[in-house]
Amino acid sequence: VQAVFRSNLSHLLELMGSGKESLIFMKKRAKRLTAQWAVAAQRLSQKLGAVQRDQKQILVHIGFLTEESGDVFSPRVLKGGPLGEMVQWADILAALYVLGHGLRITVSLKELQSNLGVPPGRGNCPLTVPLPFDLVYTDYHGLQQMKQHMGLSFKKYRCRIRVIDTFGTEPAYNHEEYATLHGYRTNWGYWNLNPKQFMTMFPHTPDNSFMGFVSEELNETEKQLVRGGKASNMAVVYGKEASIWKVSGKEKFLGILNKYMEIHGTVYYESQRPPEVPAFVKNHGLLPQPEFQQLLRKAKLFIGFGFPYEGPAPLEAIANGCVFLQSRFSPPHSSLNHEFFRGKPTSREVFSQHPYAENFIGKPHVWTVDYNNSDEFEAAIKAIMKTQVDPYLPYEYTCEGMLERIHAYIQHQDFCAAPGPAPPGTRALQSPFVLAPNATHLEWAQNASVAPGAWPPAHSLRAWLAAAGRACTDACLDHGLICEPSFFPFLNSQDAFQKLQVPCDSTESEMNHLYPAFAQPGRECFLQKEPLLFSCAGSSTKYHRLCPCRDFRKGQVALCRDCL
Ligand code: UDP
């Protein structure tokens, strides 16, 4: 059956069920965004032309909303609790539905079991029950529940699962044996999935797939209105919970801000003003999403105090014409030094409250400064008040961008297929690439055959030997490219080192998430023995890593130029 784009979301709203505050929030959002989804579907349909799209049967099991995993979020929807996850799930559901796929949505264990065709209490039954879905989107909680209740079917069908994982899961933490042996064991990792099956909220390491969410886009008339209606001295503080106001050094930087601007907040409170919020702040209380957006349309500045990390709100602020001001973290926050990231299966270092805003958007929309340096902070406020910025939303966070990306994933990502064409090992393979004319990197040879169906297409590969201590994520960015882990198998050969003129005295094949790599002392070359450990993330001063990079579409970093 062919998938047909849908523009009416009323059936989706029925599928989403009711009762929980979280579902009500998600349904309101999907409903409000219907018109934007419809326009996006129309544009994408034109762009894709006559491309064949099969209709997939998809199960969406939102594990964190099940009573069985505690459902800590639903009761906090109206009390300033985190909403980012619900924003993302609402948008995933809308996107899958608009793309025309068959959907089932479950938010309890009972519903999950009946949809999986597993009789209750028969989780460990030795038979594999056929899975009636082509794809399953879930989260870590849901993954655990499926493992418990699917018996042997879990192993057989886990390649069909996609895990929505806000922070990402790096390969070193995903590989059970390796994580256990090398201290990468956490509460979440060690599922031995293909790392691309984990889908993140922002494009972190390209080892995972970037799922994202959407932010509402202004039309021209709204943009005009926003331009005319800005109060140049109005600031809104990022964060719905009073606890974010407990930040150290607050008196100093808030004092400076208060000299220039009227400060507004949307902090949840029960009966009286939260004591953490100073009296000079105009607190509106937690606002419904549309009213929050209206407030942003009037404001000049959206200011972060360092927490929450990487939510949707700064993108919404920038899309509504605000400048986002945030603090630089020095030293960077990570799972090693910050409670919030502790136990998360990633070694990522976070250099500011919202790294995506800093690195993918930047000035004039985003200013990242040291809040402990009063001069720097004050200069930024003054400069921001003088600059004129237009509403801006990166393409990947528009409805069309998200539809395009999910379409491409559904069309091309297949983790059930047999492993790629170039098995790892020390054996010299017929190499498909050549040294580039300037001798700095490898390129795909023009006459080399391309593995049919390989995605992204291998001819976009460019490979570099990174500087010692540099991760492949960063090494590729240094060249204006993005690391592409699915290209590692092509590079994992003696021949690649040879073509790059790396002076290997010896070559070993071992399990190490930093391999393939070259170690200068001893002039040793190392190949990767375990395909699950190919990793863009990770670095050590001991190694020059061999890094596969590719190009990407402007505003859509998940897709290479020929990836649609
Ligand atoms: N939001 C809201 N009312 C408010 C403030 C924020 O509905 O008063 C919404 C906002 O539109 C955003 C969502 O809360 O989409 C999540 O925002 P945030 O970036 O704070 O992420 P979180 O920490 O909640 O995951």
Side-chain angles (χ1 to χ4, degrees), residues 25 29 32 73 77 80-88 166 201-202 213-216 236-241 265-268 284-293 295-296 302 307-316 340 354:
F25 175 88
R29 178 175 174 83
R32 194 172 65 246
F73 280 25
V77 167
L83 296 177
E85 275 82 357
M86 274 159 253
V87 165
Q88 190 182 29
T166 309
M201 190 139 174
F202 288 93
F213 57 92
V214 307
S215 179
E216 284 157 81
V236 175
V237 175
Y238 180 16
K240 311 180 239 45
E241 278 188 322
T266 62
V267 183
Y268 168 76
H284 301 258
L286 182 70
L287 295 175
Q289 250 190 342
E291 284 171 42
F292 176 62
Q293 316 252 0
L295 188 70
L296 293 174
F302 191 58
F307 195 84
Y309 297 110
E310 319 192 275
L315 290 188
E316 293 166 5
F340 184 82
H354 205 296

Side-chain angles (χ1 to χ4, degrees), residues 179-244:
T180 310
L181 283 174
H182 296 93
Y184 294 107
R185 204 154 169 120
T186 59
N187 304 336
W188 303 103
Y190 62 87
W191 283 89
N192 291 322
L193 297 180
N194 182 315
K196 282 273 184 200
Q197 286 175 264
F198 296 101
M199 305 187 123
T200 57
M201 190 139 174
F202 288 93
H204 303 318
T205 167
D207 294 308
N208 303 137
S209 302
F210 160 50
M211 170 55 82
F213 57 92
V214 307
S215 179
E216 284 157 81
E217 215 178 343
L218 304 192
N219 62 31
E220 275 315 311
T221 335
E222 288 167 328
K223 280 186 190 166
Q224 277 302 331
L225 279 173
V226 166
R227 275 181 209 119
K230 283 276 174 204
S232 65
N233 64 343
M234 177 178 167
V236 175
V237 175
Y238 180 16
K240 311 180 239 45
E241 278 188 322
S243 59
I244 66 135

